[in-house]
Amino acid sequence: MRYNRPAMARRKAPEELSVEELRRLLVEKRRGARKDRLEHFRRTGRAVLLAPDLADANPLPSTPEIETADSAVPAPEPLPVHPKRRLLDRILLGVEVLAVLGLAAVIINGVGLLQTLNTEVVEALNPETAVPTPLVMAVVLPSGHTPPDAQGNTRPNEAEIPEHLLPMVQSLANMPVPTAAPDQAVRIQIPALNVDAPIVQGDGWEQLKKGVGQYIGSSAPGRDGNLVLSAHNDVYGELFRYLDRLVPGDQVIVYTQQRQFTYIVDRTVLVEPTAVEVMSPTASPTVTLISCYPYLINDQRIVVFARLQD
């Protein structure tokens, strides 16, 4: 008699299990592990069984609810901004910008003031040596004289001098001539006028008979200040007769015993004999040429200013 053996359930491979079967196996495995732990705790007295495992009544975990797009609560729409609120925000933004700009201006101004203060402190701690400024003691401009007569005779024109200042002018005529020095002017050349003449110290009547006179106390060639030179226009060589022909850009070359200095004509003016301010000291190297004007009349002065060539 042949017996049919009951068919044994074939064990499925993991890849043949459905998702539901895999979940059930995982739950059973976790349940068994939990029971083993609880049993171990009971044996060791660390846990007491109060109720049957509730997990048996619900072998499968409840399926969590999944929120879908249909069930999602729509996001609230943004509230409209009131125009006054928007205007207020803009005003506040403008105030903040102005405050930042003001702060930047204060910082920049503070830095500038600090630099100025530092400069003043340095200058106070290191004062420059004071250089005495020569005073213009002349009452009238040099080279004044009467027009020469038919024989060529002439004399200083005292009529140009105010009567109350005549004693002062006479006393200045006796001023001592400084001792010659290497940096004193000794010669002048004006190429545009073909002038080449010696320079003497002093611009009195006797000095101008010898050449071009340097006003005593005026600057040395090449130095900051005013080098004042004068000569006659119609007597004693007529050295400065044609000063009115000089134009800006012409050269005036002044020599010392050591070197030469070239000045460039800047401008020419006509002034009264009492305009002694043209002899005042200058901040930069300058040469001032003075002579009577016009030719054979001599009731004015022609003055030519030239600056030292860079």
Side-chain angles (χ1 to χ4, degrees):
M1 185 173 181
R2 182 177 296 179
Y3 295 94
N4 292 330
R5 299 177 62 182
M8 297 181 62
R10 186 175 63 88
R11 179 174 294 182
K12 296 181 180 180
E15 59 270 13
E16 296 178 353
L17 297 176
S18 64
V19 175
E20 188 65 27
E21 290 173 336
L22 289 173
R23 290 179 59 191
R24 187 177 295 108
L25 288 175
L26 181 60
V27 170
E28 291 177 355
K29 185 176 181 179
R30 289 179 178 175
R31 184 188 305 144
R34 185 164 60 250
K35 286 182 178 181
D36 292 340
R37 287 197 302 272
L38 290 175
E39 183 64 25
H40 175 71
F41 291 156
R42 281 194 292 270
R43 287 197 304 267
T44 58
R46 297 169 59 187
V48 178
L49 182 61
L50 298 178
D53 194 352
L54 298 179
D56 295 339
N58 188 16
L60 294 177
S62 59
T63 303
E65 294 184 0
I66 300 175
E67 184 178 353
T68 62
D70 296 337
S71 61
V73 179
E77 296 182 358
L79 296 177
V81 180
H82 197 277
K84 291 185 178 180
R85 177 68 180 183
R86 185 179 295 109
L87 177 61
L88 180 60
D89 291 342
R90 292 179 179 177
I91 293 175
L92 292 177
L93 177 61
V95 171
E96 292 177 358
V97 171
L98 291 177
V100 172
L101 294 177
L103 179 60
V106 170
I107 294 175
I108 294 174
N109 188 40
V111 172
L113 291 177
L114 182 60
Q115 292 177 346
T116 302
L117 180 61
N118 290 338
T119 302
E120 293 177 353
V121 170
V122 171
E123 292 177 352
L125 295 177
N126 301 287
E128 296 182 357
T129 303
V131 178
T133 301
L135 298 176
V136 177
M137 301 180 64
V139 175
V140 293
L141 294 174
S143 79
H145 63 282
T146 59
D149 56 20
Q151 288 75 33
N153 298 320
T154 183
R155 57 182 176 80
N157 188 3
E158 294 183 352
E160 297 177 339
I161 305 171
E163 184 176 355
H164 67 287
L165 296 177
L166 187 58
M168 177 181 176
V169 174
Q170 293 172 346
S171 65
L172 293 176
N174 298 322
M175 289 183 61
V177 176
T179 304
D183 61 344
Q184 285 182 348
V186 296
R187 196 162 198 84
I188 182 173
Q189 290 180 347
I190 308 177
L193 306 181
N194 293 322
V195 171
D196 186 355
I199 297 177
V200 297
Q201 292 298 307
D203 53 10
W205 183 253
E206 294 300 324
Q207 284 87 3
L208 294 188
K209 290 180 181 180
K210 303 174 184 178
V212 177
Q214 177 180 350
Y215 177 69
I216 295 176
S218 63
S219 176
R223 294 185 181 178
D224 290 341
N226 193 4
L227 171 60
V228 181
L229 303 176
S230 58
H232 291 300
N233 69 330
D234 52 11
V235 292
Y236 304 123
E238 301 182 351
L239 298 177
F240 280 1
R241 176 176 177 177
Y242 298 111
L243 287 186
D244 56 350
R245 296 183 181 180
L246 290 176
V247 296
D250 286 341
Q251 293 183 341
V252 177
I253 306 172
V254 180
Y255 293 85
T256 67
Q257 296 179 8
Q258 299 173 332
R259 56 174 298 185
Q260 70 180 45
F261 298 90
T262 301
Y263 295 80
I264 304 300
V265 172
D266 180 43
R267 59 193 175 96
T268 301
V269 296
L270 295 178
V271 298
E272 295 300 318
T274 55
V276 294
E277 61 272 11
V278 300
M279 303 169 63
S280 299
T282 57
S284 58
T286 305
V287 64
T288 301
L289 309 179
I290 303 174
S291 187
C292 292
Y293 193 84
Y295 183 68
L296 297 178
I297 298 177
N298 304 331
D299 59 351
Q300 289 183 300
R301 297 289 192 275
I302 183 171
V303 182
V304 178
F305 300 95
R307 309 294 180 186
L308 184 66
Q309 187 177 47
D310 295 333

